[in-house]
Each structure stands twice: as structure tokens, then as C-alpha cells.
Amino acid sequence: QKEVEQDPGPLSVPEGAIVSLNCTYSNSAFQYFMWYRQYSRKGPELLMYTYSSGNKEDGRFTAQVDKSSKYISLFIRDSQPSDSATYLCAIGKTSGSRLTFGEGTQLTVNP
Amino acid sequence: EPEVTQTPSHQVTQMGQEVILRCVPISNHLYFYWYRQILGQKVEFLVSFYNNEISEKSEIFDDQFSVERPDGSNFTLKIRSTKLEDSAMYFCASSAGATNEKLFFGSGTQLSVL
């Protein structure tokens, strides 16, 4: 069983839509959860960092963690064409441990 | 905004040759990392480095790989004898503290082994 799984998409939505991106993980030892955005030919850029179950909001982005189901989500409200990128979930066992990444979901927001 | 700088952006080499990928982490950062991403695959951890020592390494990071901080600003990844399967985008990352909360990635070096 893979440590983390993410639907690679691609996902295409109209501007203004709410986007839902998801990952599942298999090992309850993972306690830290991140979402990265990656534009073409660029490195991953951290969007959200959380370590507790529940929701964390930052502007149009909300990260949701359900440790009991081993399920993490990223919601993007009022999506913009500039949100078009690949979104990667990443998990870690401690705050500074190696990160295990999902496959990434390619998102396109159409004007 | 400070950034992690990687050079070159694209490196082409022949199988069996040695390559050195270079990174300049953010200046006050103390923790350094290499990750790689083979085309179409996940980003994978290679190695973490702190206080002039390897903190953690993955199964990928075998004897063909080495890292070094030769001076106060550079952090390098050396592959001694490249294989075709080493072709990937290599990302350097750095953080000020022992936490991924402020982990910054460079734009990567695309390594092509022919």
C-alpha cells in the first residue's frame, strides 16, 4: 500500500469555482500535513502547513485534516486562472522529518 | 523575498560521468535538503543535512551520491557515476529551523543522463 495517494487529475474548472483536492495516507505515524503548489519548471511552494485534525484557513485556501480517516483536503474558493498549477500534498512524521509527497493533481482554472 | 538558487537549470551528461549540482540556500538557513522528481513521478526525498553532517538519507541516496557544504554559502549534490535512471529534476531546499513549516525549495536542476 502506498504511503500517500493523490488523484493526479487533470482537473479543469471554470473561474470562480470551488476546488477540492484530496489525499489519503496509510500510516497513522504521519502527524504533519502540507500542501504545496508547483508551477511548471518551478520548485514546490508551501501553501498550507498543519498538524492537527480540523480546518486551517488562509485567504481563499482551507486545509482540512481528518486523522481518523487518514484523509487530507485542500479547498480553493473563488478559483482564479493564476491558481492553475500542480498541487502536491506532503506528509511528515515529525515537524522536521523527510516529506513524503503525493503524485500531485494538475489543476487548470479556465477564465 | 529571499530564495534558494540552483545552478545550472539544466545539466546534460553522459552515463558514467560525475556531476555536481549546486545550490545556494537562503543565507540564514541551517537545514538543507535534496529532493528529486523523475518525470511523471512523485517528488522523492534524498537527503537532509545539518551542522555539516547528513541527518537522514533515503534508500535512493546510495554510495554514488554525496553532499557537501564546501563554504558558507553553497550546498552541493555530487553523483559519482551517473546512470540513465538518475535523470530527474533535482530540488534543493532549506529551512531556518528543524521544521518543514518554513521549508523553501529552489527551482530545480533538470539532469539528463544520456
Side-chain angles (χ1 to χ4, degrees):
Chain A
Q1 187 178 11
K2 292 182 181 179
E3 286 190 303
V4 59
E5 296 201 52
Q6 182 178 7
D7 185 344
L11 183 61
S12 181
V13 301
E15 183 175 354
I18 296 175
V19 176
S20 172
L21 305 165
N22 310 292
C23 287
T24 59
Y25 62 98
S26 59
N27 190 337
S28 58
F30 290 110
Q31 297 290 319
Y32 291 81
F33 310 96
M34 285 135 279
W35 284 95
Y36 284 84
R37 178 174 61 196
Q38 186 176 25
Y39 291 115
S40 181
R41 301 179 187 278
K42 294 289 188 182
E45 172 194 8
L46 182 65
L47 286 175
M48 301 291 283
Y49 174 92
T50 184
Y51 51 85
S52 56
S53 281
N55 294 348
K56 181 178 181 180
E57 191 173 314
D58 184 1
R60 296 185 295 110
F61 298 91
T62 299
Q64 190 174 79
V65 174
D66 182 346
K67 289 187 179 181
S68 62
S69 302
K70 300 188 185 68
Y71 192 84
I72 62 174
S73 301
L74 178 71
F75 299 96
I76 307 174
R77 288 185 300 281
D78 187 25
S79 55
Q80 302 295 308
S82 58
D83 295 328
S84 298
T86 297
Y87 290 80
L88 309 168
C89 64
I91 56 179
K93 292 183 180 175
T94 67
S95 64
S97 65
R98 65 168 74 180
L99 295 179
T100 300
F101 282 85
E103 291 89 343
T105 299
Q106 186 180 344
L107 171 68
T108 300
V109 181
N110 301 299
Chain B
E1 185 172 312
E3 59 180 16
V4 176
T5 304
Q6 289 188 245
T7 55
S9 57
H10 196 176
Q11 173 100 40
V12 181
T13 190
Q14 296 290 324
M15 190 171 56
Q17 295 296 303
E18 174 183 287
V19 294
I20 297 176
L21 308 183
R22 302 181 190 280
C23 169
V24 179
I26 294 172
S27 63
N28 62 341
H29 285 189
L30 301 175
Y31 296 80
F32 313 112
Y33 309 83
W34 285 100
Y35 285 79
R36 79 172 185 188
Q37 186 174 28
I38 295 171
L39 185 63
Q41 298 186 24
K42 297 182 180 186
V43 176
E44 302 173 291
F45 170 80
L46 292 178
V47 67
S48 59
F49 189 87
Y50 168 71
N51 199 24
N52 281 320
E53 289 184 342
I54 290 174
S55 312
E56 189 178 2
K57 60 182 180 179
S58 72
E59 329 50 71
I60 303 167
F61 195 88
D62 62 21
D63 292 345
Q64 292 298 313
F65 291 87
S66 62
V67 289
E68 191 178 29
R69 186 150 165 83
D71 53 43
S73 59
N74 290 283
F75 180 51
T76 61
L77 174 69
K78 183 194 289 187
I79 309 175
R80 286 190 185 80
S81 178
T82 50
K83 306 183 184 77
L84 295 176
E85 54 265 35
D86 294 327
S87 294
M89 179 74 88
Y90 287 80
F91 294 109
C92 174
S94 71
S95 65
T99 170
N100 291 311
E101 189 169 7
K102 296 290 184 184
L103 183 66
F104 292 88
F105 283 81
S107 292
T109 293
Q110 178 64 53
L111 176 65
S112 300
V113 182
L114 305 179

